[in-house]
Amino acid sequence: DKGEILWSCTIQSGKVYPKYFKNSTSHSGDDLAVLLATPDADMTKDKLKKSGFLTQSDICLYEYSRISSYSQYWIGGYPAEKQGQLWHGSGHIEKVQSKDLVVYNEIDTTGGNSGSMIAHGGQYYGVHTGGSKLKGKNWGTCFSLDKLKWIATFVKIHHFQKNNDGHILCFFKQ
């Protein structure tokens, strides 16, 4: 239903990426936070699935070096301005501006999409952090090796590996 609260959770703890405090802009490449949350008791499996709450046994974050301008990426979430409706855009990544910042102009986002994952085929590469209508660009923070290591110190249940394509950090349910 339009305007329905799709999911509710209890925030256990959170942390902001330390470099963000030195350069606190959405296009710094350091705009990143991690929240550990658990779904509230009244959340049914159907509601969790409908909401997009990550309920699979594991989730993996991939280092930015695996981003390809030839692949389609997806950014989606539930911004408040869309009254609880899933809002998403898809398109190509224009460029990886640095090891910390990715720029895209084809992927449509809305002001409430900040914090949404930048995904491709169930793999997560970063977080959408902002955009400019004037410049016709959107941008997000990439998962660099430093950021993956920082996230791993905060989320204790993980497996960290390196393969030919870069680093992968996977989290598992307890």
Side-chain angles (χ1 to χ4, degrees), residues 6-7 39 43-53 55:
L6 295 175
W7 65 281
M43 295 301 295
T44 65
K45 285 184 181 181
D46 287 340
K47 271 188 159 182
L48 287 171
K49 188 174 182 179
K50 182 180 176 185
S51 73
F53 195 88
T55 57

Side-chain angles (χ1 to χ4, degrees), residues 14-25 28-35 99-101 127 129 141-154:
K15 226 177 195 180
V16 175
Y17 189 60
K19 291 182 181 178
Y20 179 73
F21 296 110
K22 296 176 185 170
N23 189 8
S24 58
T25 65
S28 67
D30 294 324
D31 189 357
L32 180 66
V34 174
L35 296 175
K99 68 180 178 122
D100 297 310
L101 187 68
V127 177
T129 57
T141 296
C142 296
F143 295 134
S144 64
L145 178 57
D146 288 342
K147 288 183 185 74
L148 292 177
K149 286 179 178 178
W150 173 76
I151 293 168
T153 65
F154 186 52

Side-chain angles (χ1 to χ4, degrees), residues 110-145:
T110 183
N113 272 124
S114 293
S116 297
M117 294 292 241
I118 300 169
H120 168 70
Q123 300 173 346
Y124 304 95
Y125 294 91
V127 177
H128 172 71
T129 57
S132 167
K133 285 184 182 181
L134 187 63
K135 293 180 181 181
K137 306 268 184 216
N138 290 303
W139 51 80
T141 296
C142 296
F143 295 134
S144 64
L145 178 57

